[in-house]
Coordinates of all heavy atoms in Angstrom, one line a residue:
W1 N -59.3 37.8 106.5 CA -60.7 37.9 106.9 C -61.0 39.1 107.8 O -62.0 39.7 107.6 CB -61.1 36.6 107.6 CG -62.6 36.5 107.8 CD1 -63.2 36.5 109.0 CD2 -63.6 36.4 106.8 NE1 -64.6 36.4 108.8 CE2 -64.8 36.4 107.5 CE3 -63.6 36.4 105.4 CZ2 -66.1 36.3 106.8 CZ3 -64.9 36.4 104.7 CH2 -66.0 36.3 105.4
I2 N -60.1 39.4 108.7 CA -60.4 40.5 109.6 C -60.4 41.8 108.9 O -61.3 42.7 109.1 CB -59.3 40.5 110.7 CG1 -59.4 39.3 111.6 CG2 -59.4 41.8 111.6 CD1 -58.2 39.1 112.5
D3 N -59.5 42.0 107.9 CA -59.4 43.2 107.1 C -60.7 43.3 106.2 O -61.3 44.4 106.0 CB -58.2 43.3 106.3 CG -57.0 43.9 107.0 OD1 -57.2 44.2 108.2 OD2 -55.9 44.0 106.4
Y4 N -61.1 42.1 105.7 CA -62.3 42.1 104.8 C -63.5 42.5 105.6 O -64.3 43.3 105.2 CB -62.4 40.6 104.3 CG -63.7 40.4 103.5 CD1 -63.7 40.7 102.1 CD2 -64.8 39.8 104.1 CE1 -64.9 40.5 101.4 CE2 -66.0 39.5 103.3 CZ -66.0 39.9 102.0 OH -67.1 39.7 101.2
R5 N -63.7 41.9 106.8 CA -64.8 42.3 107.7 C -64.7 43.7 108.1 O -65.8 44.4 108.3 CB -64.8 41.4 108.9 CG -65.1 39.9 108.5 CD -66.5 39.6 108.2 NE -67.2 39.2 109.4 CZ -68.5 39.0 109.5 NH1 -69.3 39.1 108.4 NH2 -69.1 38.6 110.6
A6 N -63.5 44.2 108.3 CA -63.4 45.6 108.7 C -63.9 46.5 107.6 O -64.5 47.6 107.9 CB -62.0 46.0 109.0
I7 N -63.7 46.1 106.4 CA -64.2 47.0 105.2 C -65.7 46.8 105.1 O -66.4 47.8 105.0 CB -63.5 46.5 103.9 CG1 -62.0 46.8 104.0 CG2 -64.1 47.3 102.7 CD1 -61.2 46.2 102.8
V8 N -66.2 45.6 105.0 CA -67.7 45.4 104.7 C -68.5 45.6 106.0 O -69.7 45.8 105.9 CB -67.9 44.1 104.1 CG1 -67.1 43.9 102.8 CG2 -67.6 42.9 105.1
G9 N -67.9 45.5 107.2 CA -68.7 45.6 108.4 C -69.3 44.3 108.8 O -69.3 43.3 108.1
D10 N -69.9 44.3 110.1 CA -70.6 43.1 110.6 C -71.9 43.6 111.3 O -71.9 44.0 112.4 CB -69.7 42.4 111.6 CG -70.3 41.2 112.2 OD1 -71.5 40.9 111.9 OD2 -69.6 40.4 112.9
T11 N -72.9 43.6 110.5 CA -74.2 44.2 111.0 C -74.7 43.4 112.2 O -75.4 43.9 113.0 CB -75.2 44.2 109.9 OG1 -75.4 42.9 109.3 CG2 -74.8 45.2 108.8
S12 N -74.5 42.1 112.2 CA -75.0 41.3 113.3 C -74.4 41.7 114.7 O -75.0 41.5 115.7 CB -74.7 39.8 113.0 OG -73.3 39.5 113.1
D13 N -73.2 42.2 114.6 CA -72.5 42.7 115.8 C -72.5 44.2 116.0 O -71.9 44.7 117.0 CB -71.1 42.2 115.9 CG -71.0 40.7 116.2 OD1 -72.0 40.1 116.7 OD2 -69.9 40.1 116.0
G14 N -73.1 44.9 115.1 CA -73.2 46.3 115.2 C -71.9 47.0 114.9 O -71.6 48.1 115.4
I15 N -71.1 46.4 114.0 CA -69.8 47.0 113.6 C -70.0 47.6 112.2 O -70.2 46.8 111.2 CB -68.7 45.9 113.6 CG1 -68.5 45.3 115.0 CG2 -67.3 46.5 113.2 CD1 -67.6 44.2 115.1
A16 N -69.9 48.8 112.0 CA -70.1 49.5 110.7 C -68.8 49.3 109.9 O -67.7 49.4 110.4 CB -70.4 51.0 110.9
G17 N -69.0 49.1 108.6 CA -67.8 49.0 107.7 C -67.5 50.4 107.1 O -68.0 51.4 107.6
C18 N -66.8 50.4 106.0 CA -66.4 51.6 105.3 C -67.5 51.9 104.3 O -67.8 51.1 103.4 CB -65.1 51.4 104.6 SG -64.5 52.8 103.7
F19 N -68.1 53.0 104.5 CA -69.3 53.4 103.6 C -68.9 53.5 102.2 O -67.9 54.1 101.8 CB -69.9 54.7 104.1 CG -71.1 55.2 103.3 CD1 -72.3 54.6 103.6 CD2 -70.9 56.1 102.3 CE1 -73.4 55.0 102.8 CE2 -72.0 56.5 101.6 CZ -73.3 55.9 101.8
G20 N -69.7 52.8 101.4 CA -69.4 52.9 99.9 C -68.6 51.7 99.3 O -68.4 51.6 98.1
L21 N -68.1 50.9 100.2 CA -67.4 49.7 99.8 C -68.1 48.5 100.2 O -68.5 48.3 101.3 CB -66.0 49.6 100.3 CG -64.9 50.5 99.6 CD1 -65.0 51.9 100.0 CD2 -63.5 49.9 99.7
G22 N -68.4 47.5 99.2 CA -69.0 46.3 99.5 C -68.1 45.1 99.4 O -66.9 45.3 99.4
K23 N -68.7 43.9 99.2 CA -67.9 42.7 99.2 C -66.9 42.7 98.0 O -65.8 42.3 98.2 CB -68.8 41.5 99.2 CG -69.7 41.4 100.4 CD -70.6 40.2 100.3 CE -71.5 40.1 101.6 NZ -72.4 38.9 101.5
A24 N -67.4 43.1 96.9 CA -66.5 43.0 95.7 C -65.4 43.9 95.8 O -64.2 43.6 95.5 CB -67.3 43.3 94.4
A25 N -65.6 45.1 96.3 CA -64.5 46.1 96.4 C -63.5 45.7 97.5 O -62.3 45.8 97.3 CB -65.1 47.5 96.8
A26 N -64.0 45.1 98.6 CA -63.1 44.6 99.6 C -62.2 43.5 99.1 O -61.1 43.5 99.4 CB -64.0 44.1 100.8
A27 N -62.8 42.6 98.4 CA -62.0 41.5 97.8 C -61.0 42.0 96.9 O -59.8 41.5 96.8 CB -62.9 40.5 97.1
E28 N -61.3 43.0 96.0 CA -60.4 43.6 95.1 C -59.2 44.2 95.8 O -58.1 44.0 95.4 CB -61.1 44.6 94.2 CG -60.2 45.5 93.4 CD -59.4 44.8 92.3 OE1 -59.7 43.6 92.0 OE2 -58.5 45.5 91.7
V29 N -59.5 45.0 96.8 CA -58.4 45.6 97.6 C -57.5 44.6 98.1 O -56.2 44.8 98.1 CB -59.0 46.5 98.7 CG1 -58.0 46.9 99.7 CG2 -59.8 47.7 98.1
L30 N -58.0 43.6 98.7 CA -57.1 42.6 99.4 C -56.5 41.7 98.4 O -55.4 41.2 98.6 CB -57.9 41.8 100.4 CG -58.5 42.7 101.6 CD1 -59.5 41.8 102.4 CD2 -57.4 43.2 102.4
R31 N -57.1 41.4 97.3 CA -56.4 40.6 96.2 C -55.2 41.4 95.6 O -54.2 40.8 95.4 CB -57.4 40.3 95.1 CG -56.8 39.4 94.0 CD -58.0 39.0 93.0 NE -58.3 40.1 92.2 CZ -57.8 40.5 91.1 NH1 -56.7 39.8 90.6 NH2 -58.2 41.5 90.4
R32 N -55.4 42.7 95.5 CA -54.3 43.5 94.8 C -53.3 43.9 95.9 O -52.1 44.0 95.5 CB -54.9 44.7 94.2 CG -55.9 44.5 93.1 CD -55.2 44.2 91.8 NE -56.2 44.0 90.7 CZ -55.9 43.8 89.4 NH1 -54.6 43.8 89.1 NH2 -56.8 43.7 88.5
C33 N -53.7 44.2 97.1 CA -52.8 44.8 98.1 C -52.4 43.8 99.2 O -51.7 44.2 100.1 CB -53.4 46.0 98.6 SG -53.9 47.3 97.3
N34 N -53.1 42.7 99.4 CA -52.9 41.7 100.4 C -53.5 42.1 101.7 O -54.2 41.3 102.4 CB -51.4 41.3 100.5 CG -51.2 40.1 101.3 OD1 -51.9 39.1 101.1 ND2 -50.2 40.0 102.2
T35 N -53.2 43.3 102.2 CA -53.7 43.8 103.5 C -54.2 45.2 103.3 O -53.8 45.9 102.3 CB -52.6 43.8 104.6 OG1 -51.6 44.7 104.2 CG2 -52.0 42.4 104.7
L36 N -54.9 45.7 104.3 CA -55.2 47.2 104.3 C -54.0 48.1 104.4 O -53.9 49.1 103.8 CB -56.2 47.5 105.4 CG -57.7 47.1 105.0 CD1 -58.6 47.3 106.3 CD2 -58.2 48.0 103.9
E37 N -53.0 47.6 105.2 CA -51.8 48.4 105.3 C -51.1 48.4 103.9 O -50.5 49.5 103.5 CB -50.8 47.8 106.3 CG -51.3 47.9 107.7 CD -51.7 49.3 108.1 OE1 -51.0 50.3 107.7 OE2 -52.8 49.5 108.8
G38 N -51.2 47.4 103.1 CA -50.7 47.4 101.8 C -51.4 48.4 100.9 O -50.8 49.1 100.0
F39 N -52.7 48.5 101.1 CA -53.5 49.4 100.3 C -53.1 50.8 100.6 O -52.9 51.6 99.7 CB -55.0 49.3 100.6 CG -55.8 50.4 100.1 CD1 -56.2 50.5 98.8 CD2 -56.2 51.4 101.0 CE1 -57.0 51.6 98.3 CE2 -57.0 52.5 100.5 CZ -57.4 52.6 99.2
F40 N -52.9 51.2 101.9 CA -52.5 52.5 102.3 C -51.1 52.9 101.7 O -50.9 54.1 101.4 CB -52.6 52.7 103.8 CG -53.9 52.5 104.4 CD1 -54.1 51.7 105.5 CD2 -55.0 53.1 103.8 CE1 -55.3 51.5 106.1 CE2 -56.3 52.9 104.4 CZ -56.4 52.1 105.5
Q41 N -50.3 51.9 101.5 CA -49.0 52.2 100.9 C -49.1 52.4 99.4 O -48.3 53.2 98.8 CB -48.0 51.0 101.2 CG -47.6 51.0 102.7 CD -46.9 49.7 103.1 OE1 -46.4 49.0 102.2 NE2 -46.7 49.5 104.4
T42 N -50.0 51.6 98.8 CA -50.1 51.7 97.3 C -51.6 51.8 96.9 O -52.2 50.8 96.4 CB -49.5 50.5 96.6 OG1 -50.1 49.2 97.2 CG2 -48.0 50.4 96.8

């Protein structure tokens, strides 16, 4: 969940996410790579 929110952001708390990636892309990254560190490796 923390990596997911890091990607999509949290507008209620003023935390910007990664521009150009939404909920579907975030879920796809984490489904395939498990974590963001896993994404950076593959």
Side-chain angles (χ1 to χ4, degrees):
W1 188 246
I2 295 168
D3 277 359
Y4 177 82
R5 296 281 271 175
I7 296 173
V8 303
D10 183 354
T11 55
S12 67
D13 285 346
I15 302 172
C18 180
F19 182 77
L21 279 83
K23 296 178 180 179
E28 165 66 11
V29 167
L30 296 173
R31 184 174 70 87
R32 299 278 184 176
C33 305
N34 195 43
T35 65
L36 277 172
E37 293 308 319
F39 167 80
F40 296 133
Q41 292 172 13
T42 56

